[in-house]
Structure formats: C-alpha cells, structure tokens
C-alpha cells in the first residue's frame, strides 16, 4: 500500500509537466488556429498561401520529428530555448495547424445566406461574426476539436524522448528500478481519466451548442 | 391604394451592373410609390435577383442612381456611381427588409430570438420594448404558438413566414422578396402568399420577384417583365396579363400557363 502511494506521488510530479504541455498547447493553439483560419480565408493571397504551406508542413511531417527538430536542431543554429519552451513551441505549431484546418472548414460551412440575412437586417460585419457566424462555427467544430484534444492528451507522451521527466518517463524509471509494473497501470489510468473527463466535457458542450439542430 | 400623389419610396435610374465583362443589368429604370406592390417576373437568369439585390447593396452597381425614401444610396458623379458612406448607407437601408428564397433564418436561435436579434443589437431597443411587437408579428403570420421553436423544427412555409416577421420586426418601409415561395413544396406556397397578400393590404410597399402569376395578377399594382437584363414590358396587372404587347412577354406567359 505504501509502495503504491509512493509510486502515485512520484508520478503526480511527472504528470505536472504532461498537464502543462496539454493545457498550454490547447489554450494557445486554439486561438492561434482560429486566427490562422481567418488568415487562410482572407482575400490576401500571399497570407493565405503562406498559411496553406504552414498547414501542409505541420500536418505532413510527424510531430515526433518536429519535436526533435525544435529540441536539437534549433540550438545548432544558435537558438537556445528552455526544454519546456522548446517542447511547447513544437506542440503549439503542430496543433495550431490542425485547428486551423478545422476552423477553416467550420467557417466555410456557414452558408452565404447567413451573412446576407444579417446584412439586410442592418448588422455590421463584427456583429454578424459574433452573433451569427461564430456560434454556428463552434457547433460545427466541436466534434473534430474534441477528437484533436483527446489526441493531444496522448501525444503529450511524445516528450518522453526529450528526457523531461514527464509522466511516462517517471513511470518507466520506477518500473526499471523496482521491477514492478504498477506505474504503467497508473499511467494508463491517468490518461484514461483525462480522456474520460474531456469526452464528458465535450459532450456537454456539443449538447449545448447543438440544441437547435433536431 | 397607390396613386400618383403618393410618395416615391424607391427610384432606380439607368442601372447598369456587370459581373466581370458580362453585363447582367442593362439600364434599368423603375419607380415604386408608397403602398405599391411591384411584381417582377421573367425567365431564369434574366437578372431579377440581381436587380433586387442591388437595391439593398447585396450587389453593387457600376452606373446608375438608387434613391430610397428620398435618400440617395447611390448617385452619379462624373459618369460613375458613388455609394453613400457605409454608416449612411446602413441608415438609408434600414427602411428596407428582405425575404430570401432559402429563408436564411438563424438556425441557432429560436423563432422569437430571430425576430428580436436585430432590433436589440442594431437598433438597441430593449427586450421589453420589442417583445410585444415581435409577438404581435408572430400572431399576424399565424405562428404565435411557435415562438420558442428552432427553425429546424418548422416546415418550409412556417420558416418563410418567420423570415417575413423577422424582416418586419425592424419596421421597414419597403419589403423586398426574392422568389419567396420557390423553395417550398406546392402545398406550402399558399400560406406564404396569404401572408404576403395581407401585408400588401396593410399598404406595405413591396417589390416581389416571383413565378406566382396568380399573386402578380391579384396582389400587384405594377408588373415588370424582364429578359436578358432589361425591362421588356411593364404595366398594370390586368392590362399586362390580358393584353401583353411584346412577343417575348406573350411567349413567357404562354409557357407559364
Ligand atoms: N455572383 C455572380 N457572378 C457571376 N455571374 C452571376 C452572379 N450572380 C448572377 N450571375 C449571372 O447574372 C445573370 C442574372 O442572374 P440572376 O439575377 O440570378 O437572374 P434571375 O434571378 O432572373 O434568375 C445570370 O446570367 C447569372 O448567371
Ligand atoms: Mg433569381
């Protein structure tokens, strides 16, 4: 029993870095992805092209490679980042690209007629966006964002390779030291619990924003 | 109803509109007076929707003048059309309301919320001020019991009547209709046309693009036949339908029988 408590306490420390990566990535990448989607859909061709390239690059290469690149290659060209910042940079850039595509599809799914109806009612563009378009976009994007968020929970385990003492690395260290599989089970429970809470949260959100569609 | 002494609500003068190099409105002139119902008919692709959408700036014109309730939305300067500044244009267009073929209700809002959205957020009226009027309008279009439904829970005919009430809730002086019954099953067009007839009887000024010849004949004071971006023939409904002068009008009306 004591042993298990000890394991859990050590792993709770490991989960700190995992949670930090998860929350910071989500909080920064979501608005960034939204902005990127607006830029991607803007009539400014160079901006749109640049963002298209960015999305293509981020989605076309493994996150693992991007992590290694930021962690090991950037210092070679003189860019030194603290470990956690390097990992966050890679995660945020990667996830913002996925969110960008999700928001782009969501914005494009709102029919022209919605903008036109708002305009004929005298609504300004910002008011139309805030009151008419965004609520509909949110409803469209919630399911794919829910998917990506749950992927992110599991993707945080990739920082394992950066030797940053995340949940998974702490687990492996204990397993190797004490010849006891419990830490792996504890890790699995941790990931499952996160996923469970997130799934429940998104279900609530989807019900709230989807209440108008039969 | 309308007579020569009533005020001009809408005047369009020599309207030219092109998409790229294709001219779709080739010098349109028309005038609508207070309380008049103008029906615009014509084959598909003749420019009816474009004309209607130019009135409320959903499309912009290259040349010509548009005057709404005595105020210039567009005037000519050195051979070019000049639009009123954005704020001014929005103020002028506040006297127009529009009903679309596809209803375009806001799907995430209830019927009542659809009605009060613009009065509250555009005109800054209070809920207490606007709610009784919104409910009265729903009563008028026969949907008082549907106030808390979402659009997806209504039939097409009901949705279109909500769309009419939503436009009216902004207290417009001119109502524009772009084929309001074309997306509806035949058995649902009647209820929408009835609502429009009642609106006409209440002396609302209306411009209606329609394929419903019965409505044009009975509810309109003026009918315009358009083809290929121009007005081919124009007249009072009785005269227009019983004695069309132009061959193209005759052929079109024949095909509609
Ligand atoms: N956004 C657009 N871009 C290019 N051409 C258009 C556009 N909208 C309409 N047109 C063209 O303008 C002409 C008139 O269209 P429209 O006003 O919709 O006709 P109607 O409503 O009488 O059927 C058609 O030839 C149509 O193809
Ligand atoms: Mg049309």
């Amino acid at each position: 029993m004591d042993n298990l408590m000890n394991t859990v306490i050590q792993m709770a420390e490991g989960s700190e870095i995992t949670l930090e990566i998860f929350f910071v990535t989500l909080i920064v990448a979501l608005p960034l992805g939204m902005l990127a989607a607006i830029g991607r859909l803007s009539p400014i061709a160079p901006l749109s092209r640049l963002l298209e390239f960015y999305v293509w690059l981020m989605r076309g290469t493994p996150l693992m490679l991007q992590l290694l690149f930021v962690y090991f290659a950037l210092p070679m060209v003189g860019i030194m980042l603290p470990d956690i910042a390097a990992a966050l940079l890679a995660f945020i850039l990667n996830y913002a690209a996925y969110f960008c595509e999700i928001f782009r599809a969501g914005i494009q799914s709102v029919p022209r007629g919605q903008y036109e109806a708002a305009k004929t009612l005298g609504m300004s563009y910002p008011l139309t966006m805030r009151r008419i378009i965004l609520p509909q976009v949110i409803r469209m994007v919630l399911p794919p964002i829910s998917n990506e968020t749950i992927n992110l929970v599991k993707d945080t385990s990739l920082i394992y390779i950066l030797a940053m003492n995340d949940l998974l690395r702490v687990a492996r260290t204990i397993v190797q030291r004490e010849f006891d599989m419990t830490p792996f089970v504890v890790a699995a429970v941790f990931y499952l619990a996160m996923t469970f809470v997130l799934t429940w949260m998104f279900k609530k959100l989807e019900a709230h924003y989807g209440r108008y569609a039969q | 109803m309308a007579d020569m002494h009533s005020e001009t609500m809408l005047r369009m003068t020599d309207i030219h509109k092109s998409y790229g190099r294709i001219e779709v409105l080739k010098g349109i002139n028309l005038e609508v007076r207070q309380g008049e119902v103008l029906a615009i008919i014509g084959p598909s692709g003749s420019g009816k929707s474009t004309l209607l959408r130019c009135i409320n700036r959903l499309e912009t014109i290259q040349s010509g003048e548009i005057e709404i309730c005595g105020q210039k939305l567009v005037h000519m300067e050195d051979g070019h059309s000049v639009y009123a500044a954005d704020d001014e244009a929005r103020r002028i267009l506040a006297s127009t309301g529009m009903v679309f073929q596809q209803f375009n209700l806001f799907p995430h809002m209830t019927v009542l919320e659809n009605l009060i959205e613009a009065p509250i957020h555009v005109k800054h009226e209070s809920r207490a001020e606007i709610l009784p009027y919104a409910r009265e309008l729903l009563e008028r279009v026969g949907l008082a019991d549907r106030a808390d439904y979402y659009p997806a829970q209504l039939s097409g005919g009901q949705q279109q009547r909500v769309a009419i009430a939503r436009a009216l809730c902004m207290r417009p002086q001119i109502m524009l209709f772009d084929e309001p019954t074309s997306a509806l099953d035949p058995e649902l067009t009647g209820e929408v046309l009835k609502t429009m007839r009642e609106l006409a009887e209440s002396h609302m000024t209306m411009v209606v693009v329609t394929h419903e010849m019965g409505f044009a004949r009975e509810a309109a004071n003026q009918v315009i036949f358009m083809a290929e971006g121009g007005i081919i023939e124009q007249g009072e409904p009785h005269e227009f339908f019983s004695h069309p002068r132009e061959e193209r009008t005759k052929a079109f009306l024949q095909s509609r029988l």
Side-chain angles (χ1 to χ4, degrees):
Chain A
M1 200 61 215
D2 251 18
N3 222 349
L4 180 63
M5 268 326 277
N6 243 333
T7 304
V8 170
I9 287 166
Q10 284 182 59
M11 291 186 61
E13 279 164 26
S15 71
E16 243 172 65
I17 198 153
T18 298
L19 287 171
E20 183 179 350
I21 297 275
F22 174 80
F23 282 111
V24 175
T25 300
L26 203 59
I27 287 164
V28 180
L30 273 174
L32 207 60
M34 166 79 93
L35 285 178
I38 291 168
R40 178 81 174 74
L41 292 171
S42 86
I44 308 163
L47 179 65
S48 177
R49 283 287 169 74
L50 185 73
L51 286 163
E52 187 181 0
F53 174 76
Y54 156 71
V55 169
W56 173 77
L57 187 71
M58 289 296 148
R59 299 207 310 168
T61 56
L63 176 54
M64 175 88 87
L65 177 62
Q66 292 162 20
L67 273 168
L68 291 172
F69 184 85
V70 173
Y71 203 74
F72 295 110
L74 285 189
M76 290 180 203
V77 293
I79 303 175
M80 297 293 209
L81 291 174
D83 284 2
I84 183 89
L88 279 172
L89 181 65
F91 269 96
I92 287 167
L93 286 178
N94 180 278
Y95 269 82
Y98 281 91
F99 290 144
C100 170
E101 276 306 279
I102 290 172
F103 281 120
R104 183 179 66 84
I107 293 171
Q108 283 182 320
S109 74
V110 179
R112 280 202 69 75
Q114 293 289 304
Y115 295 87
E116 292 182 347
K119 191 171 174 188
T120 62
L121 289 167
M123 298 176 77
S124 65
Y125 186 74
L127 186 64
T128 303
M129 274 311 204
R130 184 165 62 80
R131 298 282 312 170
I132 308 300
I133 307 302
L134 280 183
Q136 296 183 59
V137 170
I138 290 174
R139 168 170 175 257
M140 291 301 298
V141 301
L142 270 176
I145 286 196
S146 164
N147 269 335
E148 282 310 317
T149 306
I150 285 165
N151 276 340
L152 176 59
V153 171
K154 293 175 284 182
D155 274 353
T156 54
S157 64
L158 289 174
I159 51 172
Y160 177 83
I161 52 155
L162 303 185
M164 281 166 56
N165 285 328
D166 70 308
L167 183 70
L168 214 53
R169 180 168 287 272
V170 173
R172 200 200 67 169
T173 311
I174 305 175
V175 168
Q176 281 183 329
R177 195 176 57 216
E178 305 182 3
F179 293 103
D180 174 10
M181 296 301 283
T182 323
F184 284 160
V185 178
V186 173
V189 169
F190 171 85
Y191 288 118
L192 281 172
M194 287 259 319
T195 308
F196 177 82
V197 170
L198 287 168
T199 306
W200 175 83
M201 242 178 57
F202 275 104
K203 227 166 91 183
K204 288 273 171 218
L205 282 172
E206 279 171 38
H208 176 74
Y209 280 96
R211 67 194 179 282
Y212 57 84
Q214 293 207 299
Chain B
M1 262 195 265
D3 59 61
M4 292 305 285
H5 305 293
S6 356
E7 189 187 342
T8 296
M9 301 295 284
L10 170 67
R11 180 181 284 124
M12 301 180 88
T13 314
D14 200 21
I15 304 295
H16 289 265
K17 158 86 185 165
S18 308
Y19 288 113
R21 280 161 49 203
I22 301 162
E23 192 170 38
V24 294
L25 296 179
K26 303 168 183 168
I28 302 281
N29 291 286
L30 61 81
E31 190 175 331
V32 186
R33 291 168 185 277
Q34 160 59 39
E36 245 184 358
V37 176
L38 166 65
I40 302 176
I41 64 174
S44 151
S46 55
K48 306 180 297 296
S49 296
T50 306
L51 177 61
L52 202 65
R53 293 161 59 85
C54 285
I55 298 172
N56 60 8
R57 220 178 40 146
L58 287 179
E59 304 286 352
T60 52
I61 59 172
Q62 278 87 38
S63 149
E65 295 200 330
I66 301 175
E67 195 180 304
I68 294 168
C69 299
Q71 297 168 301
K72 289 255 199 273
L73 176 68
V74 193
H75 68 276
M76 290 297 279
E77 227 173 83
D78 307 327
H80 290 283
S81 282
V82 180
Y83 272 82
D86 209 46
D87 284 350
E88 174 75 356
R90 227 196 312 265
R91 200 181 52 71
I92 295 172
L93 289 173
S95 53
T96 67
M98 183 151 180
V99 174
F100 300 85
Q101 185 175 340
Q102 300 297 339
F103 329 136
N104 295 343
L105 292 177
F106 304 133
H108 57 302
M109 297 180 182
T110 64
V111 164
L112 195 63
E113 288 167 350
N114 263 275
L115 264 66
I116 65 178
E117 173 68 16
I120 288 178
H121 288 97
V122 176
K123 287 199 195 154
H124 305 292
E125 293 181 47
S126 73
R127 275 181 89 86
E129 280 175 292
I130 197 62
L131 271 179
Y133 186 54
R135 291 196 186 281
E136 180 192 320
L137 286 172
L138 286 179
E139 189 86 44
R140 259 171 74 185
V141 301
L143 291 169
D145 56 339
R146 293 289 186 272
D148 298 322
Y149 283 52
Y150 285 99
Q153 298 168 314
L154 303 179
S155 74
Q158 292 172 328
Q159 289 190 53
Q160 194 60 298
R161 286 185 281 150
V162 172
I164 294 172
R166 176 178 70 175
L168 290 175
C169 211
M170 287 295 276
R171 303 176 197 268
Q173 302 187 55
I174 310 172
M175 282 284 282
L176 311 173
F177 294 82
D178 192 2
E179 298 197 28
T181 57
S182 294
L184 298 175
D185 292 335
E187 70 269 22
L188 298 179
T189 60
E191 60 192 62
V192 172
L193 292 174
K194 175 169 168 279
T195 299
M196 291 170 62
R197 282 207 174 86
E198 287 166 2
L199 195 56
E201 279 156 20
S202 73
H203 304 293
M204 174 61 78
T205 309
M206 295 162 63
V207 181
V208 185
V209 173
T210 187
H211 288 308
E212 297 288 337
M213 295 305 139
F215 177 84
R217 186 197 291 262
E218 290 148 32
N221 320 83
Q222 215 192 137
V223 181
I224 280 178
F225 173 66
M226 278 182 76
E228 288 163 33
I231 295 179
I232 305 298
E233 187 165 348
Q234 179 170 4
E236 301 226 348
H238 182 74
E239 184 69 11
F240 180 93
F241 284 105
S242 41
H243 306 292
R245 292 184 306 269
E246 301 290 329
E247 284 310 316
R248 273 202 274 187
T249 317
K250 288 177 193 167
F252 178 76
L253 292 177
Q254 277 297 325
S255 73
R256 289 274 146 192
L257 284 181

